[in-house]
Amino acid sequence: MTTNQPLPQHSTLVRPGDGHHTKTPVIAFLGTGRMGSPMAANLASAGFELRVWNRTTSRTATLAQHGAYVARTPAEAAQGAGILITMLADGPATEAAANGPDGFLGRFPGLVWVQMATIGARWSARLAVLAARRGVTFVDAPVSGSQAPAEAGQLTILASGPDRVRDLLAPVFGALGRATVWLGPAGAGTRAKLVLNSWLVDLVEATAETLSFARQLGLDPASIVELLRSTPLGSPYAVQKATTMLGGDFTPAFALKHAIKDAELAVQAAQANGTHLTLTEALLPGWRHTAMVHGDDDLSAVYITA
Ligand SMILES: NC(=O)c1ccc[n+]([C@@H]2O[C@H](COP(=O)([O-])OP(=O)(O)OC[C@H]3O[C@@H](n4cnc5c(N)ncnc54)[C@H](OP(=O)(O)O)[C@@H]3O)[C@@H](O)[C@H]2O)c1
């Protein structure tokens, strides 16, 4: 399934039912994990020609069935692509895919690179510099929403980068999410994502502690979940995670190890700006302890040790 032929940076899309031929960019997608896989599948379903790469090739099998070309290296995936999306675990994995021996940077000037994983402010700034040196346009666009919204094409895209790529990316983001918010120059998307995920981890910790507190007071925690659900006190996310906690099924939608990474990135960003996230810093030691056994489980597993 490989080719060394030069490929077009655009393909011709025939939209079902309308008979119109539209030029659409070929998309390289790196990282077909829990989030990347359904995101790439939605792009394929929207009619984009896809070139995918993942470290563990078996995780690209479903996308190959969707007609995606499976590349052996990040550079091979980028060949002929107009847009490249990264959805890898973290900053180091993303930099290796971009700038490692098989990386795409330095080979494809003119490429538009959309970085959608949560990698933190420092990594985002570092990758933006690397991209600029190699003539690649860098768009920082992490997402809010976990696996189910990714599958449903209902993510919220926290986009930041140059205005001139907005039109190009509108149909791409349209296939991935229900809303795109443009926040300013590259880096603003990642900063917004850190703020949102600091809120998210604080909420999950408060939820776990609340249920545990109810249990210790001799109450049925399920009755507290019902009270949260039926009053303004319970956010839909907290109620959903509380239900998961009591159900005890910690199949990951958002792995605890990634939530810890995000909490650490938020704490670092706060410290770099001369401030402290008191709640987020306080939950981290307990979460790291829980992650020694439950790092690959859903973050709601923190209830086990709350
Ligand atoms: N899950 C969520 O709810 C959610 C929501 C919003 C944002 N995010 C963010 O989105 C990103 C992906 O999350 P996910 O839930 O899809 O995680 P995941 O299922 O663990 O997938 C991680 C991806 O990164 C790859 N990877 C990890 N380490 C690597 C390395 N050293 N070199 C190359 N590839 C490597 C994995 O490849 P392999 O398949 O080979 O392991 C996989 O493709 C993370 O930054 C996460 O914080 C997640």
Side-chain angles (χ1 to χ4, degrees), residues 52 55 77 85 98 118 129 142 153 172 194 215 263 291:
V52 300
R55 178 181 61 176
I85 296 175
T118 310
V129 169
V172 177
L194 293 181
R215 221 179 44 228

Side-chain angles (χ1 to χ4, degrees), residues 34-35 54-56 59 87 89 118 145-146 253-254 258 261:
R34 195 161 292 116
M35 294 294 285
N54 196 59
R55 178 181 61 176
T56 307
R59 288 180 102 178
M87 196 58 181
T118 310
S146 61
F254 182 25
H258 290 326
K261 161 187 66 81

Side-chain angles (χ1 to χ4, degrees), residues 106-221:
R107 302 176 199 228
F108 308 104
L111 188 67
V112 174
W113 173 14
V114 187
Q115 201 311 105
M116 304 192 80
T118 310
I119 62 171
R122 270 194 248 159
W123 278 102
S124 183
R126 179 183 165 102
L127 298 182
V129 169
L130 286 178
R133 280 191 197 139
R134 307 299 180 90
V136 165
T137 299
F138 184 77
V139 178
D140 168 62
V143 299
S144 179
S146 61
Q147 191 177 356
E151 287 166 355
Q154 293 289 305
L155 294 167
T156 299
I157 293 148
L158 309 171
S160 57
D163 289 347
R164 64 187 149 76
V165 294
R166 286 194 191 191
D167 288 348
L168 173 75
L169 295 178
V172 177
F173 290 162
L176 298 175
R178 64 179 173 82
T180 299
V181 186
W182 283 93
L183 293 152
T190 279
R191 292 197 294 278
K193 174 68 181 169
L194 293 181
V195 172
L196 289 183
N197 273 26
S198 167
W199 161 253
L200 179 152
V201 296
D202 293 353
L203 195 59
V204 169
E205 173 68 8
T207 304
E209 193 172 296
T210 297
L211 298 183
S212 173
F213 182 41
R215 221 179 44 228
Q216 279 148 11
L217 294 191
L219 296 164
D220 177 0

